[in-house]
Amino acid sequence: RLRVLLTREPETEGWSARGIRQAIEAPNKLVERLRAAAGLRAAARALCAHFALAEKALLVLAHDEQGEPVRALLLLGESRAAATAQDDPAAGARPQDLDEHLAWAEREAERIVERIGLKSEAPAVAEAVVIAARWHDRGKDRPAWQKAIGNPLPRKDEVRTWNPWAKSGQRGFDDSECGAYRHEFGSLREASEDATIRSHPERDLILHLIAAHHGWARPHFEPDQWDIADSISDEENAAVAAETMRRFARLQRRFGHWGLAWLESLLRAADYAASGRLAANGASASPAPQAPANAAAKESAA
């Protein structure tokens, strides 16, 4: 969300913009577009395009002697497309590789924990949020889940490049391919086997944030939601599921009901922001860091 005060400049008849309770960056290109805007509506459109946000309201606060608006409040927020991209496992402005989405989510998590001061106050907890963002959707890399969103593995007689997707670029999910499987359970199981995460002081928190980023793992997963990766036994899945409940209880005692829910919301916000960026314009709004080396990530998950 963003609130912007728009003021008409008498000298140029254009507009200037100032964030309310939040500084906004206005590069020269945006400043020039605002100065050249023919009217209030044109200035609002320029800001929507620059921030890749939708106009929620445009309220005129003052008029000049001729009745023309000279000051207005512009309220910006995510479009419905962003919510669709977050809530629908397939939807997005375009197909998006899983590694790219994880890199975007990691970048958003880094930005969030720094801006709210968590990185300086509790660096290990902040790092846990970032690591969880880096891992949260790896459970989507399952042949059945990929087929369900329209990205099947190549046939033996096909020659084409294939990468797992985070988003397919279209709505719809064929759950006949993978049943009730929850990709966050698959992500949890993979992450629980990673040596770096296992040795992290906030291991419990990392794993819980991964498991709970769509609201499950509070406190459990149903058996039909367990991992569908090849060679994973029911016994292994059952052990992961049982530990999920014990972990939730430990973290509730440590952080409290609302404290843990707040920490969960940080990863959800990062995931939402990454999905919203794709929904807004189909491309990264800012340079994202390189995703972890694909080979290394898959080796640690194997």
Side-chain angles (χ1 to χ4, degrees):
R1 299 175 186 173
L2 190 62
R3 292 179 293 175
V4 181
L5 181 65
L6 282 162
T7 304
R8 196 173 75 187
E9 299 295 331
E11 296 179 359
T12 63
E13 293 297 316
W15 296 82
S16 62
R18 176 174 64 83
I20 297 178
R21 294 188 180 180
Q22 181 179 350
I24 61 172
E25 295 182 6
N28 290 336
K29 186 175 181 181
L30 175 60
V31 172
E32 291 172 2
R33 289 186 65 184
L34 290 172
R35 286 176 177 171
L40 176 59
R41 184 61 61 183
R45 284 197 299 269
L47 286 160
C48 289
H50 175 73
F51 292 107
L53 293 172
E55 178 186 317
K56 297 300 182 182
L58 183 60
L59 311 173
V60 177
L61 304 178
H63 297 83
D64 62 13
E65 295 178 353
Q66 286 74 41
E68 295 296 323
V70 293
R71 187 177 297 110
L73 177 64
L74 174 64
L75 306 181
L76 301 172
E78 295 285 5
S79 65
R80 286 185 178 271
T84 297
Q86 171 67 2
D87 297 333
D88 188 313
R94 61 167 171 80
Q96 184 181 36
D97 284 355
L98 180 57
D99 280 349
E100 181 182 57
H101 174 68
L102 293 174
W104 286 12
E106 180 182 1
R107 174 65 177 272
E108 295 294 342
E110 289 174 341
R111 183 180 64 84
I112 289 169
V113 297
E114 184 164 1
R115 290 190 65 177
I116 66 175
L118 188 63
K119 187 174 181 179
S120 58
E121 293 180 10
V125 172
E127 187 178 45
V129 176
V130 175
I131 293 173
R134 188 187 308 153
W135 280 82
H136 75 284
D137 271 354
R138 292 195 187 188
K140 291 182 176 180
D141 189 3
R142 302 289 184 272
W145 197 95
Q146 290 294 313
K147 189 175 181 181
I149 66 168
N151 185 34
L153 290 168
R155 298 190 307 269
K156 291 183 178 180
D157 60 344
E158 275 188 298
V159 179
R160 62 181 172 91
T161 302
W162 186 91
N163 290 308
W165 287 349
K167 304 289 181 182
S168 70
Q170 60 189 9
R171 297 211 64 175
F173 186 85
D174 184 3
D175 56 13
S176 67
E177 296 294 338
C178 57
Y181 165 65
R182 295 301 312 181
H183 70 270
E184 53 269 47
F185 187 94
S187 305
L188 165 66
R189 189 198 59 76
E190 286 193 26
S192 66
E193 297 179 354
D194 179 72
T196 301
I197 292 176
R198 289 167 71 98
S199 63
H200 196 279
E202 293 294 348
R203 173 181 179 275
D204 265 5
L205 182 58
I206 294 169
L207 296 177
H208 176 73
L209 295 181
I210 293 169
H213 77 271
H214 282 300
W216 296 93
R218 309 189 96 250
H220 73 295
F221 288 95
E222 297 290 344
D224 59 352
Q225 298 169 333
W226 292 352
D227 200 356
I228 56 174
D230 293 340
S231 77
I232 301 303
S233 67
D234 286 344
E235 291 75 14
E236 290 174 283
N237 273 329
V240 173
E243 182 60 19
T244 297
M245 292 185 278
R246 290 191 289 265
R247 182 185 305 113
F248 177 68
R250 291 194 297 268
L251 291 170
Q252 286 270 40
R253 287 194 296 269
R254 178 184 171 193
F255 292 107
H257 297 281
W258 295 111
L260 183 58
W262 179 76
L263 289 167
E264 292 168 10
S265 75
L266 301 182
L267 175 56
R268 291 184 191 176
D271 189 20
Y272 193 95
S275 297
R277 181 190 298 176
L278 184 71
N281 55 19
S284 174
S286 58
Q290 291 294 319
N294 209 25
K298 292 195 174 181
E299 180 180 351
S300 65

